[in-house]
Amino acid sequence: MATNDDDGEEPMDISMDLLRRILDLDHDTALSAVESRAGRCQHRLGSTVRSVARAAGEPVGELGDVLDKLEELRRQTYERIVGVCRGHGATTVLKGSAIAALYPPAVERWSRDVDVWIPDPAALWGAVGELAALYRHAEARVSVIDSTGRRDWAVGLDWVSPSSALEKPYGVELMTVPLSSGAAAVGVRSNLPAGTVHANLLLLAEELFEQEVRGRDILDAAILLDAVPADEMSALHAAADACRLAPELRTLLAAVAAVQGLDDHCCAARLATALTPSAEREQARRSTAPDATVSIRYGYPLDCSRRTAGPRLTEHEGQVLLSSPIGCFLMTSTAEVTPTAVRTALTHCAEH
């Protein structure tokens, strides 16, 4: 694992005691209870708990072995998916395996889905078409994001695990822009800062537009921070300003600093304090500036069997329809659509 060598400290030790503190559990909580809490959606630390317990000599049993085997099969599938994407154009894996590579040896970090950034829309849709053919029963989601001078896409595919329908679904998220959450407040940001560590810290921070800090986010952020040399902290600060994410990064770092022992390595509290003026300026800007010129439409599936080679948006009776390699969708900016709107869109879709 990359470390901050300037202070001569040892790499961060991920122990069962640390995981219990992140999960807000007593130090003597039984492994079964720790793993159960770690596996919940708000934490997503199940595989990490099992690997740390195994390294500490605690028996994880046949169930632990089976769960890890399922995770390994998932990882192999996602590697193949990334290979498919790279066959169509420049592809960057976001979070996931990039963060896992910084974890200490023998400590696992599995992902339930894989996020890939493919800047070229034609390459993205080419990859989507191939993946949809490979995983024919996948459920599809699509969003179109229009901002000043550009159009971006986000496409998600989910399908039942080939190992067991009881397991969490497999999933891939493909996007032409890496930073789009909270776009109404901060706009679409089409580039990431140089360096895996800075980029992934900001990607973790951006998730706070959609959800609260999770247990795995805390551990990820601590490990990423531990890999930032002291002389690059100002560059991280500048990147947060440029991406308008200082408030979210400060919140994430404060959550890290609140866990006893984590701040001893990664200095999260110090950086959170340094970010405070920038975070306050950004919050003030959001409260006074007009909404960013961003339009987001979400796809309501109409007919997933009607597929075209590439995406095509058309307007009909005030509706926006998308024909694509994953089917036909009614694109809407609202959370609900009326039965009449769906019937009208279905009729048009069937006729064209």
Side-chain angles (χ1 to χ4, degrees), residues 286-306:
R286 294 178 192 177
S287 66
T288 58
D291 289 344
T293 308
V294 177
S295 170
I296 305 177
R297 292 181 181 271
Y298 307 95
Y300 182 92
L302 297 172
D303 187 348
C304 292
S305 66
R306 298 178 66 88

Side-chain angles (χ1 to χ4, degrees), residues 312-336:
R312 186 177 74 251
L313 287 170
T314 58
E315 292 193 24
H316 174 71
E317 296 186 9
Q319 296 180 328
V320 177
L321 301 177
L322 169 68
S323 300
S324 77
I326 50 175
C328 186
F329 295 81
L330 169 61
M331 305 303 294
T332 174
S333 58
T334 61
E336 297 180 354

Side-chain angles (χ1 to χ4, degrees), residues 204-238:
L204 290 177
E206 193 206 30
E207 290 184 345
L208 301 192
F209 281 111
E210 300 177 354
Q211 61 195 14
E212 295 182 352
V213 179
R214 299 171 299 184
R216 191 174 68 183
D217 299 331
I218 292 173
L219 185 56
D220 282 350
I223 287 175
L224 287 164
L225 276 175
D226 197 37
V228 179
D231 59 359
E232 292 185 12
M233 287 297 182
S234 60
L236 175 59
H237 190 151

Side-chain angles (χ1 to χ4, degrees), residues 30-334:
L31 176 59
S32 59
V34 177
E35 203 278 341
S36 176
R37 186 176 180 89
R40 296 176 186 172
C41 286
Q42 68 265 38
H43 295 298
R44 297 193 175 184
L45 277 168
S47 58
T48 302
V49 165
R50 291 193 299 275
S51 64
V52 172
R54 184 180 282 109
E58 296 192 47
V60 299
E62 292 183 9
L63 177 58
D65 292 341
V66 169
L67 291 173
D68 288 340
K69 181 179 179 181
L70 292 175
E71 297 280 18
E72 174 61 20
L73 292 173
R74 183 183 296 261
R75 183 189 64 79
Q76 292 172 3
T77 298
Y78 292 163
E79 285 185 352
R80 290 193 292 272
I81 286 172
V82 172
V84 168
C85 294
R86 287 178 173 152
H88 289 270
T91 296
T92 301
V93 178
L94 305 178
K95 300 171 287 190
S97 59
I99 298 176
L102 294 174
Y103 271 55
V107 178
E108 302 288 357
R109 181 205 186 274
W110 303 103
S111 299
R112 289 188 181 172
D113 59 8
V114 59
D115 300 301
V116 293
W117 171 30
I118 307 177
D120 178 29
L124 179 141
W125 281 106
V128 167
E130 184 172 350
L131 291 172
L134 287 172
Y135 304 103
R136 299 189 61 84
H137 299 291
E139 295 184 1
R141 304 179 306 281
V142 59
S143 302
V144 59
I145 307 166
D146 288 311
S147 55
T148 305
R150 64 178 293 139
R151 167 168 288 168
D152 287 292
W153 299 93
V155 180
L157 297 172
D158 297 293
W159 61 98
V160 174
S161 162
S163 302
S164 171
L166 297 176
E167 195 190 1
K168 298 295 183 183
Y170 281 32
V172 56
E173 301 283 344
L174 307 95
M175 59 216 76
T176 58
V177 62
L179 294 165
S180 61
S181 294
V186 298
V188 171
R189 288 129 299 144
S190 58
N191 291 297
L192 288 172
T196 298
V197 173
H198 291 184
N200 281 294
L201 274 168
L202 294 182
L203 287 164
L204 290 177
E206 193 206 30
E207 290 184 345
L208 301 192
F209 281 111
E210 300 177 354
Q211 61 195 14
E212 295 182 352
V213 179
R214 299 171 299 184
R216 191 174 68 183
D217 299 331
I218 292 173
L219 185 56
D220 282 350
I223 287 175
L224 287 164
L225 276 175
D226 197 37
V228 179
D231 59 359
E232 292 185 12
M233 287 297 182
S234 60
L236 175 59
H237 190 151
D241 281 342
C243 293
R244 296 181 171 177
L245 288 171
E248 289 69 35
L249 183 58
R250 181 181 62 168
T251 297
L252 177 62
L253 298 180
V256 173
V259 177
Q260 180 186 356
L262 277 183
D263 199 48
D264 296 340
H265 276 273
C266 59
C267 304
R270 185 173 66 188
L271 182 55
T273 299
L275 279 168
T276 296
S278 296
E280 291 177 347
R281 285 194 300 271
E282 172 59 21
Q283 288 171 327
R285 186 201 64 79
R286 294 178 192 177
S287 66
T288 58
D291 289 344
T293 308
V294 177
S295 170
I296 305 177
R297 292 181 181 271
Y298 307 95
Y300 182 92
L302 297 172
D303 187 348
C304 292
S305 66
R306 298 178 66 88
R307 300 182 175 184
T308 57
R312 186 177 74 251
L313 287 170
T314 58
E315 292 193 24
H316 174 71
E317 296 186 9
Q319 296 180 328
V320 177
L321 301 177
L322 169 68
S323 300
S324 77
I326 50 175
C328 186
F329 295 81
L330 169 61
M331 305 303 294
T332 174
S333 58
T334 61

